Amino acid sequence: SQRLRGGYHCGAICFTFEPASPPGPRACQCGFCRRHGARMVSDPDGTAELTLGPVTRRYRFGTGTTDFLFCGECGIYVGALAEVDGKLLATLNLNAFNEPRLELQAVPVSYEGESAQAKAERRRRNWTPALLA
């Protein structure tokens, strides 16, 4: 597997992502993700480790089950964390990686109307097991 790194533009947070297979980015069509131009990646067979600093801001909307992480200093949106069945899961914004693989086109996806239970099941199935350092 490969170890990919990224974080905030200002250096206040960093993360590593070790996918078991090459990431295929998704472009969620919700207002938050569209406004950020996010290209999200995750791998249920991979690992993610995030080091959050004091300028990290957590934002919740919709069902309120996920922390969307962005920097209060430079404004970069790095990804989202959710706890499902006592496990921390993450999806990361490919645009926040040190090497953002701009040639990879994100597949548009919509989760509109999805219940909190359906969201949890999708995240359990697709998101990356995560650790906070």
Side-chain angles (χ1 to χ4, degrees):
S1 75
Q2 55 185 338
R3 175 174 262 181
L4 306 171
R5 298 180 188 281
Y8 293 155
H9 185 261
C10 66
I13 181 181
C14 59
F15 63 81
T16 59
F17 175 54
E18 292 188 51
S21 57
R26 301 172 308 280
C28 176
Q29 299 301 296
C30 80
F32 180 85
C33 290
R34 279 188 300 105
R35 285 176 176 88
H36 285 276
R39 296 180 308 137
M40 306 307 290
V41 294
S42 59
D43 183 347
D45 297 320
T47 60
E49 185 173 321
L50 295 90
T51 303
L52 305 181
V55 297
T56 299
R57 300 292 176 255
R58 294 172 183 248
Y59 176 62
R60 286 189 174 199
F61 62 96
T63 58
T65 58
T66 301
D67 287 327
F68 293 82
L69 307 173
F70 65 96
C71 182
E73 189 70 29
C74 69
I76 299 297
Y77 166 50
V78 297
L81 292 172
E83 189 175 314
V84 178
D85 300 332
K87 297 177 185 168
L88 193 60
L89 302 174
T91 184
L92 298 167
N93 185 356
L94 188 56
N95 295 331
F97 283 61
N98 294 347
E99 296 179 26
R101 305 283 312 270
L102 297 175
E103 76 281 4
L104 294 178
Q105 295 296 312
V107 175
V109 294
S110 175
Y111 307 116
E112 189 174 331
E114 196 175 50
S115 70
Q117 182 178 356
K119 283 184 187 305
E121 177 56 36
R122 175 176 47 80
R123 291 171 178 156
R124 187 182 303 109
R125 198 175 50 247
N126 298 321
W127 283 22
T128 306
L131 297 171
L132 293 178

